[in-house]
Amino acid sequence: MGRFGMFALMGLVLLVACAGGAPSSAGPTVERIGADPGEHLDREVILAGSFKGWKGGCPGPPPVSRSDWMVDDGTGCLYVHGPLPPGLDPARPKDERVVLTGVLKRSADGVLYLDVAGRKPFFPAPR
Amino acid sequence: MKRSFAFFALGFLFFMTACSGGGGDGGGTSPAAKRSWTFMVYLGADNNLSSAGVSDLNEMAKVGSDENVNIVVQAEFSSEYTDFTEIDQGSYNGDTIRYLVGKADAGSGFDLESGTSIGNVDMASPATLAAFIQWAAARYPADHYALVIWDHGAGWKRKGRGAVEDETSGNFMTLPDLAKGVRDSGVFVDVIDFDACLMGMYEVAYEFLSLTDYMVFSEETEPGSGNPYDTILAALAANPRMTPGELAVAIVERYDAYYATTERSEDVTKSAVDMSKIAALHEAMVTAAEAIVADFATVGAVIAAAQQNTQSYYYRTNHDLYDFFDYVDTNLVQGSVKAAAQAVKSAASDAVIVNRFRGDSVAESHGIAVYAPARNQVSTDQVVNELASYAALACNQSRGNGWYDAVVAMMENRVQDLYPGGFAFYVEWDTDADVDLYVWEPTALYAPWMGQSTPNGTFSADSIVTGTSAEYYVADDYVEPGYYDVIINYYDNGSTADYANVLFHYYIPGDPAGWRSAGPVTLDLSNPYTDEEITYPPVALNSYSDYWYVYQHYVGEEENGGLSWAQEGTKVKVSFKAKKKKPSFGDGGK
């Protein structure tokens, strides 16, 4: 997918989340998830944000595997467990815009993360 | 008596060098007394694994060096990811530090300041790795050396790179550079253990050919905790006369035991290979590659099926080597490829001396993986970049181009013609009504509520599950030819609305307009389509209030009718799959 397309898609997602006249059921954000994890735990969520690879602001070690990576939706940082967005380098993230879907889970250490294992839910998109 | 005195003297010397409660690097420059083993850990934790690195150092200090085993560490941590004040290590300044790890007092943690700083060096440099090995072997000589390479890992891949990241320096060591670091040290390391993700590969092992006797690694990703150093080192301390092979097995078995008794036990693999058997495995791989390339027209379908049906990992292009060739062997009646597959299986079985796994999703792991990508698993730029990196590996420098030739055959001589995809459909609406996006791919109809993956693309999760009034579909980079029809169905009212104003957007790569939109169209249940089957033209003509047949996209050389519902005319009937009962959402959702 071309860069412009990705940009446009991201814009659409933000429109859904933020624009006036938007759907009545606003999607979850990292901030909302953190405020009330039980509402979203073990449920599918869609998140849009910046790809942070292994260099984001999520505190502590990765919750499931050393290859877990981070996404920041502007309200906070969340670890993601599962395949990387195609072509993106976790060691050199460039804030590529991604949209992903997965199940919100909590690790044995109590860390919330998005499990996207077994999915291909990624739209890498430059700003 | 004489022997006892000698041991006492050695013990005294040891305690002079390894201070209780932490480490030190022994001080001075003269060699310490020779031990049975020097267990080196190259701990690259200047990244988000920093806290896990501190934990592992604490595990090592539970055992500590003794009169038989030196535990020698070069480590760097990240103050960005670890609050050193919180763990009473507030004076740690981010330097790279060398330690001889002593036994910590019960209840106290390892003192990060107890070692000797060598400044803030680039842990991702092969020269730094070589210097550490040289220093460790010279300062702490032993009969045997083990080297643990601790950090992120990515197998052979250039993106994500081999293993060992240094955020301060902004570098990540490639697989060839990792081997170079070991080679340039001039020290023969009896056992190399990758405490890192995804390093359990034929390509990785071959890169270290002649540099070590045994290699330990994981086909799948590793949990953040990685190795249980306390139990591994306790085993070595209890039996310092372990052979290198026995230590390799011990690492694998202690690792497996640790994850059998913790909650972090899903999808864990660990294995060890006898490096003296890797040359034979390589020869079998090269022969298999030659056979596959020569006979691809015949065996291509089986190879493609193997790519879809055998054990794969975090990188779906990584397949368990034995499982992959077992599938090929089982599904070919005869021929050179079948014989080659049997030879690879035999060689792989000989090479893997111990293999452990936990978790259903890795249940067909046999200890060593191989890169075997399908065409639609790798994007166009990845084809260029990944294959260039792959070709440069040591295993692909021998006769012919080794397994690389087979990989190219898999990528280029695909059995089924696929066409560029990358198009996307996005639907959004303005109420909490339950609206569903359907995409009729060339051979079947799919929707998010049926699942996220289709033969040619990926859906978002169902809106009723996500709580967001939007659903999307993105085609794979390469897709089957034919028609892709988009149908939007108003399935049910929401808790607050009995209608939805629906907007549809679509993106076709190469379209200079970028995204295009249709709608809004108001959908509701005022005039629902009630037949069990939907038929053309009623629904496609948008005569009902709950269906919007909105778009059709064709993929292929030319529009020739294909399999499209809309193009086939009134004779074609297609039933929607029985819609499963959707889960109710909580008070905060629909």
Side-chain angles (χ1 to χ4, degrees), chain B residues 433-455:
Chain B
D434 184 3
V435 175
D436 290 316
L437 167 69
Y438 287 87
V439 175
W440 200 325
E441 293 190 349
T443 54
L445 184 69
Y446 298 94
W449 63 264
M450 300 174 185
Q452 274 60 68
S453 293
T454 76

Side-chain angles (χ1 to χ4, degrees), chain B residues 60-92:
Chain B
M60 295 174 213
K62 287 181 181 176
V63 179
S65 302
D66 63 16
E67 67 275 17
N68 296 308
V69 179
N70 299 308
I71 304 169
V72 183
V73 177
Q74 178 167 311
E76 186 178 323
F77 304 96
S78 169
S79 55
E80 187 173 341
Y81 294 101
T82 302
D83 185 343
F84 290 104
T85 303
E86 191 175 74
I87 59 172
D88 296 328
Q89 306 275 0
S91 58
Y92 175 69

Side-chain angles (χ1 to χ4, degrees), chain A residues 1-2 5 8 16 23-25 27 44 54-56 64-67 79 82 87 89 92 101 109 119-120 123, chain B residues 48 81 150 152 159 161 165 167 172 195 197 222-223 264 314 422 429 432 458 461 465 467-469 472 474 507 515:
Chain A
M1 177 176 295
V16 169
S24 56
S25 298
E44 296 269 0
W54 298 329
K55 301 177 186 298
V64 181
S65 90
R66 294 188 177 187
S67 294
Y79 264 112
D89 184 350
R92 296 177 189 273
T101 181
D109 294 334
R119 296 159 189 271
K120 298 182 291 180
F123 304 163
Chain B
N48 69 319
Y81 294 101
W150 188 109
H152 285 296
K159 281 199 170 176
R161 298 160 179 85
E165 179 197 28
E167 275 204 15
F172 205 115
D195 193 7
C197 297
E222 285 200 354
R264 290 181 168 177
Y314 179 79
W429 58 99
D432 66 349
T458 304
V465 178
T468 301
S469 295
Y472 60 77
V474 175
Y507 171 79
W515 281 86

Side-chain angles (χ1 to χ4, degrees), chain B residues 84 209 379 466 476 501 548:
Chain B
F84 290 104
L209 195 67
S379 65
T466 65
D476 292 340
N501 294 307
W548 181 18

Side-chain angles (χ1 to χ4, degrees), chain A residues 33-51:
Chain A
I33 288 170
D36 188 4
E39 173 71 20
H40 304 283
L41 207 57
D42 297 324
R43 286 180 171 162
E44 296 269 0
V45 297
I46 294 178
L47 273 182
S50 300
F51 175 73

Side-chain angles (χ1 to χ4, degrees), chain A residues 2-112:
Chain A
R3 291 183 169 200
F4 181 75
M6 298 301 180
F7 179 82
L9 179 59
M10 192 55 229
L12 288 170
V13 171
L14 293 176
L15 181 68
V16 169
C18 307
S24 56
S25 298
T29 63
V30 174
E31 186 177 43
R32 287 180 196 147
I33 288 170
D36 188 4
E39 173 71 20
H40 304 283
L41 207 57
D42 297 324
R43 286 180 171 162
E44 296 269 0
V45 297
I46 294 178
L47 273 182
S50 300
F51 175 73
K52 295 292 185 182
W54 298 329
K55 301 177 186 298
C58 298
V64 181
S65 90
R66 294 188 177 187
S67 294
D68 296 346
W69 47 279
M70 307 178 209
V71 63
D72 190 323
D73 71 347
T75 71
C77 181
L78 190 68
Y79 264 112
V80 179
H81 173 63
L84 287 163
L88 300 192
D89 184 350
R92 296 177 189 273
K94 297 172 183 169
D95 281 350
E96 295 94 337
R97 301 297 292 179
V98 295
V99 182
L100 48 120
T101 181
V103 178
L104 186 73
K105 293 185 177 178
R106 193 195 299 273
S107 74
D109 294 334
V111 179
L112 292 169

